[in-house]
Amino acid sequence: MQEHSHKQNRELLVLIHGLAANTMFLRPLERHFSRLGFNVLNWGYPSIRNGVEKNAQRLRQLLEDAESQSSNPRIHIVAHSMGSIVTRAALTAYLPAMLGRVVLLGPPNRGSPVARRLAPALGRLCPALHDLSDVPASLVNQLPVPENYSFGIIAAAYDRVVPLANTHLETESDHLVLPFGHGSMLFQAAVADAVHCFLTGGQFCPAFVGLA
């Protein structure tokens, strides 16, 4: 990755989209955090063609490259939906010493019933559906629970893709529910503010509690 002089000594924030999405979905967050002084990398990956493991390998390489650059004092990650599981898989294989904090948005940490229903018909075209299924043997339900980094979870109260209970993990640093949908949460100022609160302080601000 090329770094420009005006971005040196700024913390790197990697944004990661979800299944069947692209970097356009994270442009509002990209603009928001760029204005706040972060060096933002809005990372795209082939979410339909490749399953979680292949995309996690790509993310691992990106993190290794980012860590090799002294201009990144810390590396934060904000990931949506499938991107959250790609993030967990990548950090299981490689944990950057410069890793800051991680925020997972609408993460199917215990799988998604929608993925389970679609997998029999569409799983050959989209391997990630099998990975993200809520069956016990799926990849997401076999991933180790994160233990070596600070991560917060923002769940959507009106999520029809990931049940609220499936967003939780035992080792989460904080968990917040906001009154949005699975996709619409990416375009909400309250979500951006909550993410910023966690990245800077390690927990979600009390002002957001009770909004759902």
Side-chain angles (χ1 to χ4, degrees):
M1 283 186 304
Q2 294 293 322
E3 294 291 334
H4 300 289
S5 59
H6 72 283
K7 289 187 176 182
Q8 290 189 357
N9 300 320
R10 294 164 61 184
E11 294 187 343
L12 177 65
L13 174 60
V14 181
L15 301 177
I16 306 174
H17 63 75
L19 180 61
N22 55 52
T23 58
M24 293 293 293
F25 286 76
L26 295 175
R27 286 291 170 81
L29 287 175
E30 179 182 358
R31 290 192 292 267
H32 181 84
F33 284 98
S34 292
R35 289 194 296 267
L36 290 173
F38 288 85
N39 176 15
V40 182
L41 174 59
N42 190 351
W43 182 64
Y45 64 97
S47 62
I48 294 178
R49 185 174 73 248
N50 291 343
V52 166
E53 290 182 309
K54 286 186 178 180
N55 286 310
Q57 291 170 6
R58 294 163 61 99
L59 177 57
R60 173 181 176 170
Q61 185 61 58
L62 181 148
L63 294 174
E64 289 179 348
D65 292 345
E67 191 171 36
S68 69
Q69 300 187 31
S70 60
S71 58
N72 296 319
R74 283 208 299 176
I75 302 170
H76 304 289
I77 301 174
V78 175
H80 179 239
S81 194
M82 175 182 170
S84 301
I85 310 308
V86 171
T87 297
R88 286 181 54 199
L91 294 179
T92 296
Y94 173 73
L95 192 69
M98 298 163 58
L99 184 67
R101 297 190 174 103
V102 176
V103 179
L104 309 179
L105 306 175
N109 283 320
R110 299 300 181 191
S112 166
V114 175
R116 169 173 41 83
R117 291 194 293 268
L118 293 177
L122 301 176
R124 291 183 64 185
L125 297 175
C126 181
L129 291 172
H130 293 293
D131 295 339
L132 302 175
S133 170
D134 62 357
V135 300
S138 67
L139 181 146
V140 67
N141 280 310
Q142 298 301 313
L143 273 180
V145 175
E147 295 181 345
N148 300 319
Y149 56 91
S150 173
F151 69 99
I153 294 169
I154 302 180
Y158 308 117
D159 197 326
R160 297 184 178 182
V161 178
V162 183
L164 178 59
N166 288 19
T167 65
H168 281 282
L169 285 174
E170 297 91 329
T171 56
E172 62 200 32
S173 303
D174 204 353
H175 189 282
L176 177 67
V177 182
L178 292 178
F180 307 115
H182 186 74
S184 65
M185 68 188 305
L186 298 177
F187 305 95
Q188 307 299 327
V191 172
D193 290 341
V195 169
H196 185 235
C197 193
F198 188 88
L199 293 182
T200 55
Q203 61 183 16
F204 298 115
C205 302
F208 296 106
V209 176
L211 284 182

